[in-house]
Amino acid sequence: MGPALVLRSSQLATAHRGYASVAGKAQVDEIHKKEGVYPVDPGFVCPHASAAAAAAKTAATVAAAQAAAGCPAHAKGPTNPHAPKAHPEHTATTFNYEAFFVGELDKKRKDQSYRYFNNINRLAAKFPVAHTGSQSDEVDVWCSNDYLGMSKNPVVLETMHRTLNKYGAGAGGTRNIAGNGQMHLALEEELAALHRKPAALVFSSCYVANDATLATLGSKMTGCVIFSDSMNHASMIQGIRHSQARKVIFKHNDMTDLEQKLAQYPKETPKIIAFESVYSMCGSVGHIEKICDLAEEYGAITFLDEVHAVGMYGPRGAGVAEHLDFEAHLAAGRSPHAIKGTAMDRIDIITGTLGKAFGVVGGYIAGSADLVDTIRSYAPGFIFTTSLPPANVAGAQASIVYQKEYMGDRRLQHLNTRELKTRFAELDIPVVPGPSHIVPVLVGDAALAKRASDSLLVNHGIYVQSINYPTVAVGEERLRITPTPGHTIEQMDYLVHAVNSVFDTLGIKRRSDWVREGGRAGVGSEDVAQEVTPVWSDTQLGLTDGTAPKVLSNAQGDKAVVDLKALREAQRRFDVTLGGGNPAHLAEYLIATTNKFGDTVQHGALPATRLAKATTLVPASRA
Amino acid sequence: MGPALVLRSSQLATAHRGYASVAGKAQVDEIHKKEGVYPVDPGFVCPHASAAAAAAKTAATVAAAQAAAGCPAHAKGPTNPHAPKAHPEHTATTFNYEAFFVGELDKKRKDQSYRYFNNINRLAAKFPVAHTGSQSDEVDVWCSNDYLGMSKNPVVLETMHRTLNKYGAGAGGTRNIAGNGQMHLALEEELAALHRKPAALVFSSCYVANDATLATLGSKMTGCVIFSDSMNHASMIQGIRHSQARKVIFKHNDMTDLEQKLAQYPKETPKIIAFESVYSMCGSVGHIEKICDLAEEYGAITFLDEVHAVGMYGPRGAGVAEHLDFEAHLAAGRSPHAIKGTAMDRIDIITGTLGKAFGVVGGYIAGSADLVDTIRSYAPGFIFTTSLPPANVAGAQASIVYQKEYMGDRRLQHLNTRELKTRFAELDIPVVPGPSHIVPVLVGDAALAKRASDSLLVNHGIYVQSINYPTVAVGEERLRITPTPGHTIEQMDYLVHAVNSVFDTLGIKRRSDWVREGGRAGVGSEDVAQEVTPVWSDTQLGLTDGTAPKVLSNAQGDKAVVDLKALREAQRRFDVTLGGGNPAHLAEYLIATTNKFGDTVQHGALPATRLAKATTLVPASRA
């Protein structure tokens, strides 16, 4: 156990909340149950907690924790008169529920899919740095879906503060009963305009939006068949299942396979083609225009999940469908009207999230007025739930407006993505090839991926979650890395060296190893590599005309750029609801004010904690 | 059209956002589509908008709006070169999706279940007052589920402001990937302690919690049978459906029926009894102890939805299950341990919300460590979604702690409920009898219920949403009224007189009318009335020893009470995460400071807008 881990274990013991979170506590509970000292007094600290946490953190198995010696602090048998069993006792003839749960958890542990939650607290003022279970233990976060750092954008925070003060913490009801206000209506109008659709509808999350929309459409249209990309997200899979419609899975991004399957059904059969623009775990991108062609030919409607693309692609941040007609949408500016024949116009239903690039929480659909109204009127997951708090929806709207008006964040994000992919390639580190902003580093083994993630966290102060089955296929386990515009070149240096070092230490296969084995998950497969042209072109990124944003550098004292024009435009949306939007109000949330660029202000204290490490670190095997 | 409505219609026309919300826009769009001028430029205002809004507001049918004369401002045919169809055209042989959606919406309009969302913006500083689509048009809200006004509680807001500043707007990931922090872990620990269970787990909403938990349990336990109360909430119904387990519905609160149905299955069959403590639309209360008896006898586990009860019942606000052993739980104080043999201990799974009495957003389950860990490990609706923002979960925790420490809000809420029920009874206004805090005023007709709600809003400045099918049975339509501790006696006077006046004007049946007809929904049925003993006894409310909270009076200049001890205890929870909790920080959110009661401070500007009306109004038929 390294010094950092000892520190964390002792913090866990005193705080009684686990670095490994629920898992740690559950394991300790198990030990105590076996020893007859369960539940224990919460004020009392037992060494089992730190043992379990250590086991979890170092990816040792539960067995190690369970094999720990009896806890000398506890006598056998109940010492607390209030210590009953946590559930009614069932007789021998009844179903043993607790044994069933234990068995289900054991299955997860056996197939390495049991999840330990890391305790990561992302700091707004130090983005992209977080503290762990200890306030003083800071790490660089390289796997958040707050892709653009909008969760700390000054106009998002200022709008949320003002909304909290005026409208309070919660909505207080469903959309139909006391929970529908100006903030909700304004956000939906903003979203409809973003996608140039007649209407939009907001849900608790995009999981709920996908589930509720597919379930409602699939169940209401008698005889409906839903064609689903094999890599679709769990929320779409659940929605299709809940619709009880016939489901036809087509091979990921395989248009030939899709067409063959569409052709098997009569034209008059109602059909939905459900797919994504950016597949978040591999970074591949859906063939939007080809799918629209097929949908029109075979009489289907299209359902496009842009969850990982909104804010990230297109001149206004509307997603990949917008990006495909970049110039047309750029020229149309703030118009909310559809542009005939564009990919975004041809898609029938777009779903997106407010919780990733937009930095807040919630999900939505956009489409025709009658389609949206049908979902609004029939989907239980929309109707029978408390609506999102006014402050959340207002913050999300501010974020959308900001990203509509300012392209710099997503351009810089994609520049950082390119740079990171290049550096990994130079070091023979295997990255699943793809045209998007996701950088999936292939590990190819569940235990090894977890150990790599743990080592990065404990030994290098870098947080990258390992992605294992069932999120990805067995044998394709990975470290999913997501650069942001807020990462500095020094943080990237440090990450690349740390990953390289961990690859050496743990003996993880390099790209050249995968090539020799014939490839895995697209790594080392010649045919895949050829297909990969980044969604953002050199021209779109400003690389050809010298307008590309500058990658931040700690050494040069750079601070993250905030665009004042975009801030003001976002603030203006709330002039009526929140009162005069005074740009000076934002000063509270800005570290510095207007700079030499005139309309651009600087924001945020940059993290310098990693700088020293980055400049002094010498990778073990490459010294 | 009254002056208020004219005002609102013109506001709608200028703001381009409807008082009747989505519905209004959709209707106007329909008219424009028929006239070939769709989509219209958003900067242009067409009189159809106000016509549709007026139609919606006055409960005239859509037909009225559609019958409006052609809009003279628009020439026929597309005037905007960017005006395409909003979706791909399908040939005649393909399924006509848009026609299908129009048809589904027509069904809703025909059976009177089409919903128009009112635009209600609840004002934190004027609780329980909201403004409508116009900032200057204020109404008393009498149907919010922010039962205790916690959405404007100073420690909730202060905690949320501080968390926003420190941790930003969004969580940035799922619980497994970058979205799990100290705030989430602390909230779950607080919830587990609240229900004296070993573990708890937070979801996006309790809709998701119910759906995900029942679906997961019912599908994983082979052969599981789920026994479901006939009045269960939509989220439980969906969860059971999604589990694909066998479902057995028992008559609402009918223990004989439940037992007969349980007895039909072998003891070793896994069984779940799913029910609620407070049924929100009728205000009835589940037979928790009897169901626990049956569960133990027949080998079932119990799933209790306390969504409308948490914060509202029990000495610590843990719900009705806690309330049943009031003295034992009061005596056990802050201990997180189960109390053997109590109703709360005997229940296996408790679900609750953070979005009603606790005033924020989100849902949760509480139960044994292994049960909770099984849901954590297997439920897609928990796993694959962005976690709630840190500020939301921190605000929710502050709210829970405050309510754990201070009983005054819920006692005053129940005193106001009693008073309101008494006043309605005096005026022969039919209230569905029940022992809880819900005051359902029976109307018994969908169109009439909507007209009553519209009339209260437009003519009296009171917002009470009408509740129609499918939320309640056809013929049992109602106005669901929810008093809060923040309502003054003058506001109540005004409400009672307004409801009475609307009953007269619209000729809605009185209680005595229902008695003559043999009763409806429990109104006028002798057998039901006998059963109703309020959950909160006179002793528990402090009526026998003179410690009952004082109902607020505008005339006496009362301000809502905020308990400083509870504030401080809630603030202390965040000493580590947010830095030293200085009670003085709360001053910003408090209108007044420490008063003659020492540890109690006054909070919030009381609404005086209704006072004048309350004292001058003379009900039409009772003058």
Side-chain angles (χ1 to χ4, degrees):
Chain A
M1 205 188 292
L5 187 53
V6 171
L7 171 70
R8 283 168 192 155
S9 295
S10 78
Q11 282 153 358
L12 179 140
T14 49
H16 204 69
R17 287 199 284 270
Y19 200 75
S21 186
V22 176
K25 186 171 183 307
Q27 288 162 17
V28 175
D29 285 348
E30 256 177 55
I31 299 170
H32 286 165
K33 277 180 198 165
K34 286 188 184 157
E35 306 216 354
V37 291
Y38 180 79
V40 294
D41 189 290
F44 184 83
V45 177
C46 163
H48 292 145
S50 52
K57 283 289 302 132
T58 57
T61 62
V62 174
Q66 289 175 330
C71 177
H74 294 303
K76 294 275 177 186
T79 55
N80 178 342
H82 289 301
K85 287 228 158 55
H87 55 92
E89 291 168 73
H90 303 296
T91 64
T93 59
T94 62
F95 187 81
N96 189 333
Y97 298 94
E98 284 296 319
F100 173 81
F101 300 137
V102 169
E104 290 300 307
L105 294 170
D106 282 348
K107 282 186 205 165
K108 283 270 168 200
R109 294 192 183 103
K110 276 179 193 148
D111 75 2
Q112 306 266 6
S113 69
Y114 187 85
R115 286 178 158 134
Y116 300 88
F117 291 162
N118 283 297
N119 183 342
I120 301 294
N121 303 270
R122 301 184 315 112
L123 294 159
K126 293 183 175 184
F127 183 88
V129 168
H131 71 71
T132 65
S134 157
Q135 297 268 324
S136 59
D137 181 25
E138 296 188 350
V139 297
D140 286 351
V141 176
W142 277 98
C143 65
S144 166
N145 286 341
D146 182 13
Y147 295 127
L148 302 177
M150 288 307 288
S151 77
K152 55 94 190 175
N153 180 280
V155 77
V156 172
L157 293 177
E158 190 245 12
T159 303
M160 292 181 74
H161 283 298
R162 291 202 291 155
T163 309
L164 270 180
N165 284 337
K166 181 156 181 185
Y167 298 118
T174 66
R175 286 293 291 276
N176 190 49
I177 309 176
N180 177 62
Q182 205 60 37
M183 295 302 193
H184 301 88
L185 300 174
L187 173 60
E188 287 172 349
E189 190 169 297
E190 193 76 55
L191 288 164
L194 174 68
H195 294 291
R196 305 198 202 272
K197 295 284 183 195
L201 194 69
V202 171
F203 297 74
S204 309
S205 67
C206 198
Y207 185 100
V208 174
N210 283 351
D211 183 358
T213 303
L214 284 169
T216 302
L217 291 177
S219 63
K220 292 206 80 66
M221 295 191 290
T222 309
C224 180
V225 181
I226 304 181
F227 299 81
S228 177
D229 188 286
S230 64
M231 297 280 282
N232 273 346
H233 186 256
S235 55
M236 298 161 80
I237 295 170
Q238 289 294 321
I240 296 167
R241 180 173 300 159
H242 296 159
S243 76
Q244 303 190 313
R246 181 187 292 267
K247 173 185 181 176
V248 177
I249 297 173
F250 62 93
K251 288 180 200 156
H252 178 53
N253 270 350
D254 187 330
M255 296 300 99
T256 309
D257 189 45
L258 173 59
E259 179 159 18
Q260 282 174 354
K261 285 168 174 165
L262 283 165
Q264 289 170 19
Y265 294 86
K267 280 208 172 180
E268 61 271 23
T269 296
K271 304 174 194 75
I272 302 169
I273 307 174
F275 67 115
E276 303 184 24
S277 58
V278 175
Y279 290 86
S280 78
M281 291 301 152
C282 60
S284 59
V285 170
H287 301 317
I288 298 174
E289 288 165 326
K290 290 178 193 165
I291 287 180
C292 287
D293 292 343
L294 291 175
E296 286 172 29
E297 186 171 348
Y298 293 95
I301 52 173
T302 47
F303 178 104
L304 174 62
D305 174 314
E306 290 253 33
V307 160
H308 289 272
V310 290
M312 303 295 289
Y313 299 85
R316 294 149 63 251
V320 176
E322 184 193 37
H323 202 100
L324 294 173
D325 304 282
F326 198 95
E327 293 305 324
H329 286 292
L330 189 61
R334 292 176 184 166
S335 161
H337 299 306
I339 304 175
K340 182 79 174 168
T342 58
M344 196 158 72
D345 175 50
R346 296 173 72 198
I347 292 287
D348 295 285
I349 309 160
I350 293 174
T351 76
T353 182
L354 308 168
K356 301 189 197 292
F358 292 134
V360 192
V361 77
Y364 65 91
I365 62 168
S368 80
D370 289 322
L371 182 148
V372 168
D373 203 8
T374 299
I375 303 303
R376 186 188 76 91
S377 299
Y378 283 100
F382 169 80
I383 297 169
F384 298 105
T385 197
T386 300
S387 58
L388 284 174
N392 292 96
V393 294
Q397 190 187 357
S399 182
I400 292 162
V401 175
Y402 183 88
Q403 286 299 326
K404 263 184 181 171
E405 299 290 324
Y406 178 61
M407 233 188 292
D409 288 339
R410 52 188 170 276
R411 288 169 113 190
L412 184 48
Q413 196 283 335
H414 288 279
L415 288 166
N416 280 346
T417 300
R418 283 193 179 197
E419 180 67 21
L420 184 59
K421 286 182 177 177
T422 302
R423 292 187 181 216
F424 279 144
E426 286 167 1
L427 291 171
D428 200 24
I429 291 169
V431 173
V432 176
S436 75
H437 63 285
I438 313 282
V439 185
V441 172
L442 183 66
V443 178
D445 178 88
L448 212 49
K450 172 142 180 47
R451 284 178 65 197
S453 171
D454 289 343
S455 175
L456 283 170
L457 189 63
V458 173
N459 300 320
H460 300 273
I462 286 173
Y463 174 52
V464 181
Q465 185 67 40
S466 57
I467 310 291
N468 288 354
Y469 175 85
T471 308
V472 296
V474 171
E476 299 192 0
E477 294 82 1
R478 62 198 61 180
L479 300 170
R480 176 181 177 271
I481 297 176
T482 53
T484 74
H487 285 99
T488 65
I489 197 71
E490 289 86 357
Q491 286 175 308
M492 194 185 295
D493 278 344
Y494 182 69
L495 168 75
V496 171
H497 286 122
V499 169
N500 196 46
S501 163
V502 167
F503 263 64
D504 277 342
T505 309
L506 300 180
I508 299 170
K509 284 177 190 164
R510 302 276 171 168
R511 185 178 179 283
S512 48
D513 298 321
W514 291 114
V515 170
R516 275 192 296 276
E517 295 188 13
R520 173 81 54 88
V523 172
S525 311
E526 288 304 323
D527 54 330
V528 173
Q530 286 171 8
E531 277 187 37
V532 177
T533 305
V535 176
W536 280 86
S537 70
D538 288 4
T539 307
Q540 288 161 352
L541 288 174
L543 291 169
T544 51
D545 62 3
T547 63
K550 181 179 175 302
V551 174
L552 301 180
S553 160
N554 293 29
Q556 295 180 28
D558 294 335
K559 289 168 188 283
V561 170
V562 173
D563 186 75
L564 195 53
K565 272 188 196 162
L567 287 186
R568 284 180 180 152
E569 184 64 24
Q571 208 176 36
R572 265 196 287 271
R573 289 290 199 283
F574 303 94
D575 278 356
V576 173
T577 37
L578 299 179
N582 182 350
H585 289 162
L586 292 172
E588 189 183 333
Y589 312 101
L590 294 171
I591 306 302
T593 49
T594 310
N595 72 358
K596 62 180 177 174
F597 300 108
D599 267 331
T600 305
V601 295
Q602 309 284 12
H603 173 254
L606 273 182
T609 51
R610 298 278 86 76
L611 180 58
K613 294 187 191 174
T615 51
T616 58
L617 179 142
V618 182
S621 68
R622 319 242 147 193
Chain B
M1 204 189 294
L5 188 53
V6 170
L7 172 71
R8 282 166 193 158
S9 294
S10 78
Q11 283 152 357
L12 178 141
T14 50
H16 204 68
R17 287 198 283 269
Y19 201 75
S21 185
V22 176
K25 185 171 185 310
Q27 287 161 16
V28 175
D29 285 348
E30 256 177 55
I31 298 171
H32 288 162
K33 277 181 197 164
K34 285 188 185 158
E35 308 215 353
V37 291
Y38 181 79
V40 293
D41 188 290
F44 185 82
V45 178
C46 165
H48 292 143
S50 51
K57 282 292 298 130
T58 56
T61 63
V62 173
Q66 289 174 331
C71 175
H74 294 302
K76 294 276 177 186
T79 54
N80 179 342
H82 289 300
K85 286 225 158 55
H87 54 90
E89 291 168 72
H90 302 296
T91 65
T93 59
T94 62
F95 186 80
N96 190 334
Y97 298 93
E98 284 296 318
F100 174 80
F101 299 136
V102 169
E104 290 301 309
L105 294 170
D106 282 347
K107 282 185 204 165
K108 282 269 167 201
R109 293 193 183 103
K110 277 180 192 148
D111 75 1
Q112 305 266 6
S113 68
Y114 188 85
R115 286 177 158 135
Y116 299 88
F117 292 162
N118 282 299
N119 184 343
I120 300 295
N121 303 271
R122 301 185 313 113
L123 294 159
K126 293 184 174 182
F127 183 88
V129 168
H131 72 71
T132 65
S134 157
Q135 296 269 323
S136 60
D137 181 24
E138 295 189 350
V139 297
D140 286 351
V141 177
W142 277 100
C143 64
S144 167
N145 286 340
D146 182 12
Y147 295 127
L148 302 177
M150 289 306 287
S151 78
K152 55 93 190 174
N153 181 280
V155 77
V156 172
L157 293 178
E158 190 243 11
T159 302
M160 292 182 74
H161 284 299
R162 291 203 292 157
T163 309
L164 270 180
N165 284 336
K166 182 157 180 184
Y167 296 119
T174 66
R175 288 293 291 274
N176 189 48
I177 309 176
N180 177 63
Q182 205 61 37
M183 295 304 193
H184 301 88
L185 299 173
L187 173 59
E188 287 171 351
E189 189 168 297
E190 194 76 54
L191 288 165
L194 174 68
H195 293 290
R196 305 199 204 269
K197 296 286 182 193
L201 194 69
V202 171
F203 297 74
S204 309
S205 68
C206 198
Y207 185 99
V208 174
N210 283 351
D211 182 359
T213 303
L214 285 168
T216 302
L217 292 178
S219 63
K220 291 207 80 67
M221 295 193 290
T222 309
C224 180
V225 181
I226 304 181
F227 299 80
S228 177
D229 187 285
S230 64
M231 296 280 283
N232 273 345
H233 186 256
S235 56
M236 299 161 80
I237 295 170
Q238 289 294 321
I240 296 167
R241 180 175 300 162
H242 295 158
S243 77
Q244 302 190 315
R246 180 187 293 267
K247 174 184 182 176
V248 177
I249 297 172
F250 61 93
K251 288 180 201 158
H252 178 52
N253 271 349
D254 186 330
M255 296 301 99
T256 309
D257 189 47
L258 172 59
E259 179 158 18
Q260 281 174 354
K261 286 169 173 165
L262 283 165
Q264 289 170 19
Y265 293 87
K267 281 208 172 180
E268 61 271 23
T269 296
K271 305 174 194 75
I272 302 169
I273 306 175
F275 67 116
E276 303 185 23
S277 58
V278 175
Y279 291 85
S280 78
M281 291 301 152
C282 58
S284 59
V285 170
H287 300 316
I288 298 173
E289 288 165 327
K290 289 179 193 165
I291 287 180
C292 288
D293 292 344
L294 291 175
E296 286 172 28
E297 186 171 348
Y298 292 95
I301 53 174
T302 46
F303 178 105
L304 174 62
D305 174 314
E306 291 252 33
V307 161
H308 290 271
V310 290
M312 302 295 290
Y313 298 85
R316 295 150 62 251
V320 176
E322 185 194 38
H323 202 99
L324 294 173
D325 305 282
F326 198 95
E327 293 305 324
H329 286 293
L330 188 63
R334 292 176 185 167
S335 161
H337 299 306
I339 304 175
K340 182 79 174 168
T342 58
M344 196 157 73
D345 176 50
R346 296 172 73 196
I347 292 287
D348 295 285
I349 309 161
I350 293 173
T351 76
T353 183
L354 308 167
K356 301 189 197 294
F358 292 135
V360 192
V361 76
Y364 65 90
I365 63 168
S368 81
D370 290 322
L371 182 148
V372 168
D373 203 8
T374 299
I375 303 303
R376 186 189 76 92
S377 300
Y378 283 99
F382 169 80
I383 296 169
F384 297 105
T385 198
T386 300
S387 58
L388 284 174
N392 292 97
V393 293
Q397 189 187 357
S399 182
I400 293 162
V401 175
Y402 183 89
Q403 286 299 328
K404 262 183 181 171
E405 299 291 324
Y406 179 62
M407 233 188 291
D409 289 338
R410 53 187 169 276
R411 287 169 115 189
L412 183 49
Q413 196 283 334
H414 288 279
L415 288 167
N416 279 345
T417 300
R418 282 194 180 197
E419 180 67 20
L420 184 59
K421 286 182 176 177
T422 301
R423 292 188 181 214
F424 279 145
E426 286 167 0
L427 291 171
D428 199 24
I429 291 170
V431 173
V432 177
S436 74
H437 62 285
I438 313 283
V439 185
V441 172
L442 182 66
V443 178
D445 177 89
L448 212 48
K450 172 143 180 43
R451 284 178 67 197
S453 170
D454 289 343
S455 175
L456 284 170
L457 189 63
V458 174
N459 301 320
H460 300 273
I462 286 173
Y463 174 53
V464 180
Q465 185 67 41
S466 56
I467 311 291
N468 288 354
Y469 176 84
T471 307
V472 296
V474 171
E476 299 191 2
E477 294 82 1
R478 62 198 62 182
L479 300 171
R480 176 180 176 271
I481 297 177
T482 54
T484 75
H487 285 99
T488 65
I489 197 70
E490 289 85 357
Q491 286 176 308
M492 194 185 294
D493 279 343
Y494 182 70
L495 168 76
V496 171
H497 286 122
V499 169
N500 196 47
S501 161
V502 167
F503 262 64
D504 277 340
T505 309
L506 300 180
I508 300 171
K509 284 178 190 162
R510 301 274 170 172
R511 187 178 178 283
S512 48
D513 298 322
W514 290 115
V515 170
R516 275 192 295 277
E517 296 189 12
R520 173 81 56 87
V523 172
S525 313
E526 288 304 325
D527 53 329
V528 173
Q530 287 173 5
E531 276 187 38
V532 177
T533 305
V535 177
W536 279 86
S537 69
D538 289 3
T539 306
Q540 288 161 351
L541 287 174
L543 291 170
T544 50
D545 63 2
T547 64
K550 181 179 174 304
V551 174
L552 301 180
S553 159
N554 293 30
Q556 295 179 30
D558 293 336
K559 289 167 186 285
V561 170
V562 174
D563 187 74
L564 195 54
K565 272 188 195 161
L567 288 185
R568 284 178 180 154
E569 183 63 23
Q571 208 175 38
R572 265 196 287 272
R573 289 290 200 282
F574 303 94
D575 278 356
V576 173
T577 37
L578 299 179
N582 182 350
H585 289 162
L586 292 172
E588 190 183 332
Y589 311 101
L590 295 170
I591 306 302
T593 50
T594 310
N595 73 357
K596 62 180 177 173
F597 301 108
D599 266 332
T600 304
V601 295
Q602 309 282 14
H603 173 254
L606 273 183
T609 52
R610 297 278 86 76
L611 181 57
K613 294 187 191 174
T615 50
T616 58
L617 180 142
V618 182
S621 67
R622 318 243 150 192

